[in-house]
Amino acid sequence: MAALPEDTEVPQAGDQQEDTAARRRFAVTLLCDVVLPVGLYYALRGAGVGELVSLLISAAAPALSTGYSIVKQRRVDSVGVFVLAILVLAGIGSLISGSPRLALARGGWFTGLIALWILGSLYTSRPFAYRALKSLLPGKSEALEGFWRDRPHFRRIWRALTVLWGCGLLVDAVLRVIMAYTLPVDSVPALDGALYFVTYIVLQVITHIVLHKTGVFRLLFPGRGRRTPPPDRPSSDSRFPHT
């Protein structure tokens, strides 16, 4: 990909606050969707609760988190409703079948549907990766729209990143379903959580490399990462008064 020119700058006011808010949202999501479900599952299993019941109860953490988010924002979030629907349907299916493996596989099916939705966004006016960027940087919304409108390279980069995340999550989904149906039940929740970290880190690293190589990072955050040169040191002759 060709690097973007750096002639346009985005104001830096509020960058730190936006970064902090984005990290806080990610930390809450990580806690509710990964750490709590895994920890709750093994705590229940340690207390003698059965596999299926432990899996269904541990799924309550992300469901409650999503429901709370909808109530707090006071609007119906289509993604949130989708998450709740998947969790409820997987729970009902597991109860009917009595199979804990169906409950384990819900993460894979859910991830696969999300991946297809991400790839489907390529056929909309704004792909997933670009919309995610706007949600993380609300203070730059107007400038981002200007970049999207005026810079073809900028559009191509975010469409390429959308393909990256969609395909990456499809691979993740396939691995989750394979683990759910082939590995011992009690080993899957921990491996499922570990796979979340691996997938996220790999995709984030590739994304950051692309943003740096193409110049998008400097476009979004002009001046960030550039060190201020130290002041010139006086020459040795300056210690002596001129005559």
Side-chain angles (χ1 to χ4, degrees):
M1 299 177 191
L4 289 166
E6 300 178 41
D7 54 344
T8 304
E9 291 192 353
V10 181
Q12 296 188 54
D15 284 355
Q16 186 174 0
Q17 291 86 341
E18 290 177 354
D19 288 348
T20 302
R23 291 192 186 98
R24 186 181 298 115
R25 288 194 297 269
F26 174 71
V28 172
T29 300
L30 187 66
L31 177 65
C32 295
D33 293 355
V34 180
V35 178
L36 284 180
V38 173
L40 186 57
Y41 173 81
Y42 288 111
L44 291 170
R45 292 291 289 142
V49 181
E51 294 171 344
L52 180 57
V53 175
S54 298
L55 288 168
L56 294 178
I57 294 176
S58 64
L64 291 175
S65 172
T66 303
Y68 173 76
S69 177
I70 294 175
V71 172
K72 183 180 180 181
Q73 295 176 4
R74 296 182 179 179
R75 64 183 178 86
V76 177
D77 180 8
S78 57
V79 176
V81 172
F82 175 73
V83 172
L84 286 176
I86 290 294
L87 291 173
V88 171
L89 290 176
I92 293 174
S94 299
L95 287 174
I96 294 175
S97 66
S99 170
R101 295 196 178 276
L102 180 59
L104 285 173
R106 68 175 183 267
W109 299 121
F110 169 70
T111 303
L113 290 173
I114 288 292
L116 294 176
W117 174 72
I118 289 174
L119 293 173
S121 73
L122 291 167
Y123 298 96
T124 65
S125 59
R126 301 291 188 273
F128 162 80
Y130 174 75
R131 282 186 283 172
L133 173 70
K134 286 188 67 177
S135 68
L136 291 173
L137 303 174
K140 292 179 167 52
S141 180
E142 184 176 349
L144 291 173
E145 281 298 305
F147 296 151
W148 182 268
R149 181 181 61 252
D150 301 331
R151 298 170 181 264
H153 287 157
F154 188 83
R155 295 194 295 270
R156 283 197 293 269
I157 289 164
W158 290 104
R159 291 190 185 281
L161 289 175
T162 298
V163 173
L164 168 70
W165 280 83
C167 293
L169 290 179
L170 273 180
V171 174
D172 177 279
V174 171
L175 292 176
R176 290 182 192 278
V177 173
I178 292 174
M179 290 193 304
Y181 285 102
T182 60
L183 298 179
V185 171
D186 281 336
S187 67
V188 174
L191 294 174
D192 205 62
L195 181 58
Y196 179 92
F197 285 103
V198 172
T199 301
Y200 178 80
I201 290 173
V202 169
L203 292 177
Q204 277 286 13
V205 168
I206 297 175
T207 297
H208 278 263
I209 290 174
V210 170
L211 294 180
H212 279 278
K213 291 287 187 181
T214 58
V216 173
F217 189 85
R218 292 189 299 275
L219 187 71
L220 298 175
F221 306 103
R224 180 172 294 190
R226 298 177 183 172
R227 296 180 179 179
T228 303
D232 294 335
R233 293 183 179 180
S235 63
S236 57
D237 293 340
S238 64
R239 291 175 296 176
F240 302 100
H242 292 285
T243 56

